Amino acid sequence: MTGQTDSTTTGAPHTLSTVPLASMPCSQLTVASFMTAHARPVEDVAVAVEQEHIVGDDSGWFGQESLDRYAPGRAAAVMATVRGVAQRCTAYTDALDDGSRTHNTVSVRRADARGDDSLVLRVASTFSGDTDPFITETGFVREGDVIIMVQKMVARKPKSGVETVLSPAVAAYRAATAG
């Protein structure tokens, strides 16, 4: 999506929140900018990504890939806080602008992409009267003081997990910093 307006951002912070990451509303787990808003990095670069609809019931997906650099030692604390938010937000209801509600369940697991630390947050959101959830997955890999994050927003029935995008992002980062 790099050809589209506002698909690439650099230079943190974007919109700062006065609410720390540990206390942020659960509903913000599906917002692409929750890390830069609630866990201010020293440096940030992000790009919007998408996979267009290919065939059948695959409706494609969109999301964001970002790299956030933190002060020495801070990235590990941010990762621990993200885990704490996921534990606090295992199930929540969110009110939408039109008055409807979604029921959301959050799960967390270690990501397949290896680093100093990694995790995948999966938020399944179901609208009232609907049993087929919308899925948002956010994968995190910490390499020293850098957190590589890929957020994959999909409609329904994802064909693959966020690791299909996270692993190449981590490999590209490692290749760029190996020189």
Side-chain angles (χ1 to χ4, degrees), residues 71-82:
R74 176 110 169 87
V78 169
M79 290 287 285
T81 303
V82 170

Side-chain angles (χ1 to χ4, degrees), residues 93-135:
T93 301
D94 195 20
L96 303 177
D97 291 340
D98 66 2
S100 62
R101 294 193 170 295
T102 61
H103 177 70
N104 307 279
T105 55
V106 178
S107 60
V108 64
R109 64 180 165 77
R110 182 167 172 77
D112 289 339
R114 301 291 183 235
D116 295 331
D117 192 5
S118 67
L119 64 101
V120 172
L121 288 177
R122 184 176 192 268
V123 180
S125 303
T126 307
F127 290 90
S128 299
D130 196 356
T131 58
D132 201 7
F134 286 81
I135 307 296

